[in-house]
C-alpha cells in the first residue's frame, strides 16, 4: 500500500506557477477555500497524473483546457506538469492472523446471504417488493 506524500503542480489549469502540496500525518486532508479558488483542480490534477485522458472527466471541453489558459495580465502556459509522490506504507501489512480470519468469516457470511438472480428471475412470485433493486440503472 502507498500513501500520498506530496503533489507538485505546474501549469495545470489554475496553477500557473509551481505549487507543492505536502500531505503530512495519517489523518484526513481537506482542501478548503472560497468558490472559484481551484479546489477541484487539485483533484483533477491527481486524476490526470494517474492517467485520466477524457477531457470531460477533467471538467474541460478539450485536453488543451488542462493547460493554464492565461489571464489579462499573464500569457497562457505552454505545458502542464503534475508529479505525484507516493511512499510505501508498510503499516498496512501488519495484519494479524486472527484479523484475516475475521475478514474471511465476514465474507463467507455475505456469500451465504447472496441471492441467486437466475432463480429469482425464473420465479416471478419471488420478485415482489424488491424488483426495483434488480431493474435499476
Amino acid at each position: 500500500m502507498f500513501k500520498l506524500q506530496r503533489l507538485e503542480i505546474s501549469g495545470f489549469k489554475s496553477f500557473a506557477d509551481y505549487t507543492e502540496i505536502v500531505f503530512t500525518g495519517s489523518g484526513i486532508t481537506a482542501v478548503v477555500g472560497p468558490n472559484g479558488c481551484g479546489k477541484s483542480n487539485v483533484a483533477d490534477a491527481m486524476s490526470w497524473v494517474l492517467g485520466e485522458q477524457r477531457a470531460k472527466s477533467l471538467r474541460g471541453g478539450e485536453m488543451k483546457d488542462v493547460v493554464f489558459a492565461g489571464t489579462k495580465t499573464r500569457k497562457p502556459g505552454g505545458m502542464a506538469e503534475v508529479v505525484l509522490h507516493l511512499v510505501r506504507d508498510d503499516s498496512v501489512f501488519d495484519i494479524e492472523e486472527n484479523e484475516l480470519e475475521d475478514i474471511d468469516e465476514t465474507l463467507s457470511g455475505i456469500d451465504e446471504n447472496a441471492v441467486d438472480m437466475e432463480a429469482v428471475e425464473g420465479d416471478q412470485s419471488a420478485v415482489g417488493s424488491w424488483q426495483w433493486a434488480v431493474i435499476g440503472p
Side-chain angles (χ1 to χ4, degrees):
M1 186 70 77
F2 291 92
K3 287 174 58 174
L4 181 59
Q5 181 184 43
R6 195 168 81 226
L7 182 67
E8 298 175 30
I9 307 171
S10 180
F12 184 85
K13 290 192 168 190
S14 60
F15 294 94
D17 296 322
Y18 173 83
T19 305
E20 180 179 22
I21 302 171
V22 179
F23 300 92
T24 59
S26 60
I28 296 172
T29 300
V31 179
V32 295
N35 292 342
C37 72
K39 299 179 300 285
S40 298
N41 293 345
V42 174
D44 288 346
M46 286 190 218
S47 295
W48 187 60
V49 75
L50 290 172
E52 181 57 65
Q53 296 181 0
R54 292 174 298 172
K56 188 175 180 182
S57 295
L58 298 171
R59 299 176 310 113
E62 300 175 281
M63 282 308 287
K64 70 178 185 175
D65 294 338
V66 302
V67 178
F68 177 69
T71 65
K72 291 180 190 175
T73 59
R74 191 167 191 166
K75 291 184 180 182
M79 61 163 267
E81 180 181 32
V82 177
V83 180
L84 191 65
H85 293 268
L86 303 171
V87 292
R88 174 169 257 140
D89 182 16
D90 292 327
S91 66
V92 174
F93 297 109
D94 293 339
I95 299 174
E96 294 183 23
E97 190 69 31
N98 62 351
E99 290 180 37
L100 291 176
E101 290 172 6
D102 292 343
I103 292 170
D104 288 339
E105 188 176 310
T106 302
L107 290 175
S108 55
I110 292 171
D111 288 341
E112 289 172 6
N113 294 326
V115 175
D116 182 7
M117 294 309 294
E118 291 178 8
V120 170
E121 289 172 357
D123 180 12
Q124 292 300 316
S125 64
V127 174
S129 64
W130 53 272
Q131 185 174 7
W132 60 272
V134 175
I135 296 175

